[in-house]
Amino acid sequence: MPTAVLRSQSALGILSLMQENNVRIQTYALNKLALVVDQTWPEISNHLDLLDALSSDESFPERQLAAFVASKVFYHLQEYEYSVRLALEAGPRFDIMERSQYVDTVISKCIDFYIKKRVQISEGDNSVQIDQKLEDIVNKMFERCFSDAEWDQAIGLALEARRLDVVEKAILQSGNIEEKLDYTYKISEDIIDNKEFRLAVLNLLVKLYEQQGEGKVNYFNLTKCQFFLRAPEAAAKVLSNLLDIDSEYLKAYQIAFDLVDTENQSFLNDVVGLLSGSNNSRINALSAILRNEVPRKLSLQFLKKNNHTDMLMLKHLMEDVGTKNSITHGACVWANGIMNSLTTNDSFLRENLNWVAKATNWNRFSATASIGMIHMGNCKDAEEILNPYINGTGPQASPYSTSGAYYAYGLINANQYTPEKAEFLTNGFRNSGNNENIQHGVGLGLGLVSMATNNDNVYRELKNVLYSDSAVAGEAAALGMGLVRLGTANEESISEMITYANDTSHEKIIRALALGLSLIMYEKEETADGLIEQLSLSKDGILRYGGMFTIGLAYAGTGNNFAIKKLLHFAVSDVIDDVRRAAVINLGFLLFKTPERLPEILDLLSESYNPHTRYGVAMALAIGCAGTGMLQTLPILTKLARDNTAFVRQGALIAMSIIFIQIADTFEPKVAKINKLYAKIIGTKHEEVLAKMGAILGTGILNAGGRNTTITLQTRSGNNKMASIIGLALFTHHWYWYPCLHFLALSLSPTSLHGLNKDLKVPKGFTFRSNMRASEFKYPDFLKEEEKKTKEKVETAVLSTTAKKQIKDKRKAENEKMDVDTPKPDEKKEDTPIIEDEEEKKEDNKEEEDNNEPEPMFEDKKNPSRVQIHQEKFIAFLEDNRYKPLLPERQGGFIILEDSTPDVEEEFYDDEEIDLDAPNPGLEEELEVPEPFDFDPALED
């Protein structure tokens, strides 16, 4: 049987027909080319001029067919812009319903071009025109999505193309409106860069949510939209309506707790003032939540009772540091403040007054201010605690301790404005006797209390202090002004601050004003672009430094590509080291919602020749990956921890602690190695001071808040935590001014699960389960008194004759040694990694684990309990429990419970109850039992 011979197709014969002037012959040739174009496009590409001419000839009857063939050729040539243009001219010849790679690619490119033009038009570029044919193609694509019930694809495409009409149509025609509303809300945060359009989407969602019938509305997402829109009137209306419905009022309580988590006191106070309804008791309860009274009380109660601060660790730190160096002494005092922050446990300061009193001048200011970190949130006792320092009657009274007390007052009452608190602090200005040191503390305290209130009277008080042109007082006043106007984009204030920055000669004031300007533009995104441009192009490096923070805070959490590119540009091109460092640091603020992107972006920058850039990499990782325990950050930080520059090592040590805060070494073995690294650096006598300071700060941060707090910049629902972000931003300012370290306390968030009943009480009957071994999330073990550090052995003196003999013997042994000799297994490597591998750590503990009995794979927990962020995914609620969470998907924070048996009596978490395993202040230590002895009455006298 003869074998068939496959002949390669050629279009040369058909193309020769195209040269004829006969229209019928040319039409015949085009139809043939359309059939073989995918195989013969290289030959056809030599005749594109002819095809293009025919497609443009209006007298040619098959001009659309010519355009179709030419479009396919350009597609194969990967000239997609020409391919799309000709496909649009092909009319019905281009069938979007056809399932082929060509059609899919051209449609994809059409959509890309369409989206680009729509974005340009929505951003005000009136010169852009959209071809009606392109519009028709995209509309047909939407119709295709509708006919295939691809609702999610249609909504995503419509959001990218900024077609709200299509978004609304897709949601309403989907058949599951509630689900599609929730889906649209979720993806709108991820794919919409432009804030103005995002607000338009949220307004649409609010309208559609409100159109749903009773029982179908997702009130949680509705109020989230209203929060983003900064619509307190609408939010108050929703909450008020819920309060009047017996079956729904618990949702109002849960929503209130979620709103408090955003830390925006201005919005919360507006909502409280607008609440209305017939049930006063419920309104009062809701108001107490929104004013942060209930969350603050329950958190303080939990943190105080469960304080697991290792006081022996602090004692060892104090012994290692001593009093000779003011930097390490101050760092140790700060470590005590952060370790006991929010716990009200100031026993270490009281028991070591003589040691603490060694602090002088501004170190004394910081030491006194650390009391504010410890008592943060304890608003009712603030004046009683601090009055001895404010009135000058306390131990070692001085203007610095008075100033520190005002700063401490601001920390205790941070983000908790009342007119009385503001009056107390403004009286501090009047009673200061124009002492700039005291005014410094008052300015910081006033800014903290009035954060984001936009209070004109407070702003005016601070502005008057600024205009006194005192470098010390003016710095605090400038920061306070930024805090008061936080997130307002107040044009008058911006103008005043820029003008004064250009007029004053004090660098401290200029830098504080630059940072204050960035605070004013918090979360303003495109609105801040004008100020960003003005600061970034300034000839003054300090104002450019402020420009970097303006980018980071204005676009916080958005991951905006424009902002990232701008920061990277300044990170590698600016001539001022401070600007470069600030540019890199602020990448962390942009990307904290997608922390997995940071190590990849920063890896190359960590190799920079400039130590300021390398330090910025460490702090950017700390901010962007705070509390995540991301192992991908360790290769970079380990490298930086070995850096030749001391302040780079300091940054790496601080970053490790912020990233791995509250993560147990049983859950991540590398944490134990980090702790050992800190102990080694602190105990090394000749270690550089800055690196030693970083290790001390890192030790404090790892154990912050009695080991019951973490650092996170977003809520569980994805909103930015305002105070946390601002706290970290001002914390980075400690590069210039160590007292700014205290701002880190603003970023601490308690890690607990509180179940609350309808009366906002904490019932003991509610229990839940952690489906993981208890050891994975346990508190770190306390140091024991007998675990003293062994003294370093003094090297034995060697006589010169002995040394010569040893060298001679060593050389002889080396000469006799064969080249193939391998090192002995017990020989140590010179370059031991700072952080050992996990497998190595597991191997070290293998024998110990084998000796232990199998540990249960779950742990039943009481109410309330410590639940770490990375533990939340293992939390499950018991089916047979009396109480059911209102939101079953919520595994941490404050959870409102529904009681299935409300008539049965219940016990509640008692205020006097304490955790016997925690070293709480006031808990008497058990006395040692004396050895048995015989009592002789004759010896009594």
Side-chain angles (χ1 to χ4, degrees):
M1 184 176 179
T3 305
V5 178
L6 295 175
R7 298 175 58 189
S8 60
Q9 287 184 319
S10 174
L12 294 177
I14 302 174
L15 288 169
S16 65
L17 296 176
M18 293 289 298
Q19 308 298 327
E20 301 291 334
N21 291 327
N22 190 301
V23 172
R24 293 179 60 191
I25 295 176
Q26 288 177 325
T27 301
Y28 171 81
L30 282 172
N31 281 301
K32 291 294 184 181
L33 286 178
L35 297 175
V36 298
V37 63
D38 291 326
Q39 294 78 35
T40 61
W41 62 267
E43 295 175 334
I44 303 174
S45 64
N46 295 322
H47 298 76
L48 279 173
D49 291 343
L50 177 59
L51 290 171
D52 193 28
L54 291 174
S55 67
S56 303
D57 186 357
E58 295 184 2
S59 64
F60 186 65
E62 292 294 337
R63 58 192 296 267
Q64 291 182 338
L65 179 59
F68 175 70
V69 174
S71 173
K72 275 202 167 185
V73 175
F74 278 115
Y75 159 74
H76 288 293
L77 290 172
Q78 298 185 7
E79 295 285 350
Y80 297 120
E81 189 173 349
Y82 292 106
S83 179
V84 167
R85 177 179 63 81
L86 290 163
L88 294 176
E89 294 178 5
R93 293 281 186 178
F94 179 70
D95 183 9
I96 68 166
M97 304 305 291
E98 178 187 329
R99 302 288 183 176
S100 68
Q101 187 174 357
Y102 161 70
V103 171
D104 290 345
T105 302
V106 171
I107 289 177
S108 174
K109 296 300 177 182
C110 283
I111 292 171
D112 288 344
F113 296 145
Y114 180 75
I115 289 173
K116 182 179 179 181
K117 290 178 181 293
R118 286 284 304 175
V119 169
Q120 289 173 333
I121 291 172
S122 67
E123 291 180 354
D125 190 347
N126 297 323
S127 63
V128 177
Q129 299 292 327
I130 297 180
D131 190 331
Q132 185 58 46
K133 297 174 183 176
L134 179 61
E135 188 97 41
D136 292 341
I137 289 288
V138 175
N139 287 334
K140 287 180 182 178
M141 187 62 198
F142 283 128
E143 292 172 6
R144 176 173 159 183
C145 291
F146 292 160
S147 63
D148 294 344
E150 296 286 350
W151 308 112
D152 291 352
Q153 183 178 344
I155 291 170
L157 177 57
L159 286 175
E160 286 192 284
R162 305 194 178 181
R163 289 283 301 273
L164 287 179
D165 58 323
V166 178
V167 174
E168 182 175 4
K169 182 179 178 182
I171 292 173
L172 295 176
Q173 292 186 6
S174 65
N176 192 340
I177 296 177
E178 184 179 352
E179 179 185 328
K180 296 311 169 192
L181 280 170
D182 296 345
Y183 172 78
T184 306
Y185 170 79
K186 182 178 179 181
I187 67 169
S188 66
E189 295 180 301
D190 300 329
I191 67 175
I192 302 177
D193 286 338
N194 184 272
K195 185 174 183 179
E196 183 178 350
F197 180 66
R198 194 185 313 126
L199 295 179
V201 173
L202 293 175
N203 275 313
L204 171 65
L205 294 181
V206 167
K207 183 186 81 170
L208 295 178
Y209 273 124
E210 291 174 343
Q211 289 176 359
Q212 302 306 298
E214 186 176 337
K216 296 182 179 180
V217 180
N218 187 330
Y219 291 107
F220 298 96
N221 279 353
L222 173 58
T223 49
K224 283 182 200 172
C225 294
Q226 291 165 341
F227 172 76
F228 272 115
L229 294 167
R230 296 299 188 268
E233 300 87 356
K237 182 180 178 182
V238 170
L239 294 174
S240 298
N241 291 338
L242 289 174
L243 288 179
D244 289 335
I245 305 173
D246 290 339
S247 61
E248 300 281 6
Y249 76 95
L250 292 180
K251 290 182 180 178
Y253 291 169
Q254 186 66 68
I255 290 169
F257 279 113
D258 292 348
L259 289 174
V260 169
D261 216 17
T262 63
E263 303 173 340
N264 191 318
Q265 66 167 326
S266 178
F267 181 84
L268 297 173
N269 290 337
D270 289 344
V271 172
V272 170
L274 294 165
L275 289 176
S276 62
S278 57
N279 195 316
N280 289 330
S281 62
R282 291 177 184 175
I283 291 177
N284 292 336
L286 186 66
S287 299
I289 298 172
L290 291 170
R291 285 196 295 265
N292 200 22
E293 294 170 3
V294 174
R296 185 174 67 243
K297 175 188 172 184
L298 293 174
S299 294
L300 275 177
Q301 178 182 319
F302 175 79
L303 292 169
K304 182 177 180 180
K305 293 178 181 179
N306 295 277
N307 178 15
H308 278 68
T309 299
D310 192 339
M311 305 307 288
L312 190 57
M313 180 184 291
L314 281 170
K315 180 181 176 183
H316 286 174
L317 267 179
M318 182 181 69
E319 292 171 351
D320 287 333
V321 166
T323 59
K324 291 183 178 179
N325 189 290
S326 62
I327 293 178
T328 53
H329 181 274
C332 187
V333 173
W334 183 88
N336 166 66
I338 200 73
M339 289 169 74
N340 285 292
S341 57
L342 300 156
T343 67
T344 72
N345 178 15
D346 55 9
S347 58
F348 179 80
L349 296 177
R350 289 186 278 105
E351 292 169 4
N352 299 280
L353 279 177
N354 292 333
W355 179 80
V356 176
K358 298 293 183 182
T360 59
N361 300 333
W362 288 110
N363 266 3
R364 179 165 297 176
F365 167 85
S366 294
T368 309
S370 70
I371 298 173
M373 301 165 67
I374 295 170
H375 290 275
M376 181 176 280
N378 187 17
C379 302
K380 64 183 179 66
D381 297 327
E383 290 188 40
E384 181 183 348
I385 294 166
L386 297 171
N387 269 337
Y389 300 94
I390 292 174
N391 297 330
T393 58
Q396 307 292 328
S398 76
Y400 294 99
S401 57
T402 300
S403 180
Y406 280 117
Y407 186 15
Y409 185 87
L411 289 168
I412 292 173
N413 295 282
N415 211 19
Q416 301 293 325
Y417 173 85
T418 63
E420 294 76 20
K421 293 171 185 175
E423 181 67 21
F424 176 83
L425 286 164
T426 51
N427 285 337
F429 280 139
R430 300 183 183 98
N431 298 331
S432 66
N434 291 326
N435 185 305
E436 62 178 7
N437 299 329
I438 295 177
Q439 289 179 338
H440 183 88
V442 175
L444 292 175
L446 195 53
L448 284 165
V449 169
S450 308
M451 187 186 301
T453 58
N454 201 23
N455 187 295
D456 290 332
N457 293 329
V458 173
Y459 178 82
R460 197 176 301 112
E461 290 280 353
L462 291 165
K463 185 171 67 172
N464 291 336
V465 174
L466 174 71
Y467 286 172
S468 69
D469 207 37
S470 163
V472 174
E475 179 183 29
L479 289 175
M481 290 162 66
L483 286 169
V484 172
R485 297 292 198 211
L486 179 63
T488 62
N490 188 292
E491 294 183 3
E492 182 181 353
S493 298
I494 291 172
S495 176
E496 290 174 347
M497 293 169 75
I498 290 178
T499 301
Y500 195 79
N502 290 323
D503 291 343
T504 186
S505 59
H506 297 295
E507 284 192 6
K508 289 170 72 73
I509 294 179
I510 299 172
R511 188 173 290 110
L513 285 169
L515 199 53
L517 288 167
S518 69
L519 299 177
I520 293 175
M521 284 300 181
Y522 171 69
E523 281 191 338
K524 288 304 176 184
E525 300 184 32
E526 292 83 6
T527 306
D529 286 349
L531 180 61
I532 289 171
E533 195 71 13
Q534 183 178 355
L535 295 177
S536 300
L537 296 177
S538 173
K539 294 180 180 179
D540 190 336
I542 299 177
L543 290 180
R544 293 203 303 279
Y545 168 89
M548 301 305 101
F549 275 93
T550 306
I551 296 172
L553 295 181
Y555 290 93
T558 63
N560 185 280
N561 288 328
F562 157 78
I564 292 173
K565 289 177 182 178
K566 202 165 189 69
L567 288 175
L568 288 173
H569 169 73
F570 280 94
V572 297
S573 65
D574 203 277
V575 295
I576 303 295
D577 288 335
D578 288 357
V579 180
R580 288 189 172 208
R581 185 180 67 252
V584 181
I585 288 173
N586 280 280
L587 289 169
F589 287 114
L590 289 176
L591 296 169
F592 66 77
K593 289 187 178 178
T594 53
E596 63 279 358
R597 295 176 60 188
L598 269 170
E600 183 180 356
I601 291 175
L602 296 174
D603 189 28
L604 190 59
L605 288 174
S606 68
E607 303 284 354
S608 171
Y609 73 93
N610 190 316
H612 292 264
T613 301
R614 301 198 297 273
Y615 176 89
V617 167
M619 295 311 297
L621 287 172
I623 294 166
C625 306
T628 62
M630 276 185 60
L631 293 179
Q632 295 91 323
T633 62
L634 274 182
I636 298 175
L637 293 177
T638 303
K639 175 175 58 181
L640 296 178
R642 295 195 189 100
D643 200 276
N644 293 328
T645 306
F647 67 74
V648 176
R649 299 201 298 277
Q650 181 195 77
L653 296 170
I654 294 173
M656 285 180 184
S657 64
I658 293 177
I659 294 170
F660 289 92
I661 182 174
Q662 211 189 38
I663 293 179
D665 54 7
T666 49
F667 183 79
E668 177 46 64
K670 288 185 174 64
V671 175
K673 198 69 176 179
I674 293 173
N675 278 314
K676 289 180 181 178
L677 174 63
Y678 289 156
K680 178 183 176 183
I681 292 173
I682 294 169
T684 302
K685 185 176 181 180
H686 300 293
E687 180 63 73
E688 292 188 62
V689 171
L690 288 180
K692 187 174 289 192
M693 176 187 173
I696 296 170
L697 300 182
T699 300
I701 295 169
L702 273 182
N703 299 278
R707 295 172 169 171
N708 289 303
T709 60
T710 189
I711 297 175
T712 179
L713 304 187
Q714 58 180 321
T715 66
R716 290 174 179 83
S717 56
N719 292 330
N720 288 354
K721 290 174 71 74
M722 184 185 73
S724 298
I725 293 171
I726 300 308
L728 265 177
L730 294 175
F731 169 78
T732 62
H733 196 62
H734 77 264
W735 177 277
Y736 305 100
W737 189 229
Y738 284 155
C740 287
L741 288 167
H742 296 56
F743 284 111
L744 186 65
L746 297 177
S747 303
L748 297 181
S749 299
T751 49
S752 62
L753 190 154
H754 281 78
L756 280 72
N757 70 357
K758 61 184 178 62
D759 299 318
L760 303 181
K761 292 185 177 180
V762 183
K764 290 184 177 180
F766 172 61
T767 58
F768 54 96
R769 177 166 291 177
S770 173
N771 289 313
M772 180 54 73
R773 291 183 295 269
S775 61
E776 296 285 343
F777 304 107
K778 71 181 185 69
Y779 288 102
D781 295 329
F782 290 121
L783 296 179
K784 297 179 181 178
E785 193 65 48
E786 60 268 18
E787 291 179 1
K788 300 289 186 182
K789 293 182 292 181
T790 57
K791 293 183 178 180
E792 295 182 7
K793 294 182 179 180
V794 179
E795 189 176 351
T796 306
V798 181
L799 297 175
S800 59
T801 54
T802 307
K804 288 179 181 179
K805 185 177 183 304
Q806 289 176 345
I807 294 172
K808 185 176 180 181
D809 292 342
K810 184 179 179 181
R811 287 176 180 171
K812 183 178 179 181
E814 288 176 353
N815 292 333
E816 293 175 355
K817 186 176 180 179
M818 296 179 62
D819 291 340
V820 294
D821 284 352
T822 56
K824 296 178 182 180
D826 60 346
E827 286 182 355
K828 294 182 179 179
K829 296 181 180 179
E830 292 182 4
D831 187 16
T832 305
I834 291 180
I835 308 298
E836 65 185 356
D837 291 335
E838 183 177 352
E839 295 299 325
E840 181 184 344
K841 181 69 178 177
K842 289 180 179 177
E843 192 66 30
D844 291 342
N845 293 334
K846 185 177 180 181
E847 184 178 346
E848 181 181 347
E849 291 174 0
D850 290 343
N851 295 331
N852 295 334
E853 295 181 4
E855 185 182 1
M857 286 300 295
F858 66 89
E859 178 190 13
D860 288 331
K861 302 182 80 68
K862 63 182 181 180
N863 182 33
S865 280
R866 174 182 186 252
V867 175
Q868 301 172 55
I869 288 179
H870 49 283
Q871 185 182 5
E872 290 183 3
K873 59 186 175 184
F874 300 108
I875 296 300
F877 300 109
L878 305 176
E879 292 292 333
D880 57 350
N881 198 276
R882 166 181 172 177
Y883 297 96
K884 305 295 181 187
L886 188 64
L887 292 178
E889 67 274 11
R890 183 70 57 81
Q891 283 93 22
F894 295 98
I895 299 177
I896 296 296
L897 305 173
E898 294 178 302
D899 190 353
S900 59
T901 56
D903 297 331
V904 179
E905 290 187 8
E906 174 64 291
E907 293 183 9
F908 300 101
Y909 192 52
D910 193 342
D911 284 343
E912 275 62 48
E913 205 174 281
I914 59 174
D915 182 351
L916 296 176
D917 296 326
N920 292 282
L923 179 63
E924 295 184 2
E925 297 180 3
E926 295 183 4
L927 299 176
E928 294 183 6
V929 179
E931 296 180 4
F933 63 93
D934 294 327
F935 176 67
D936 186 353
L939 299 175
E940 186 175 4
D941 296 332

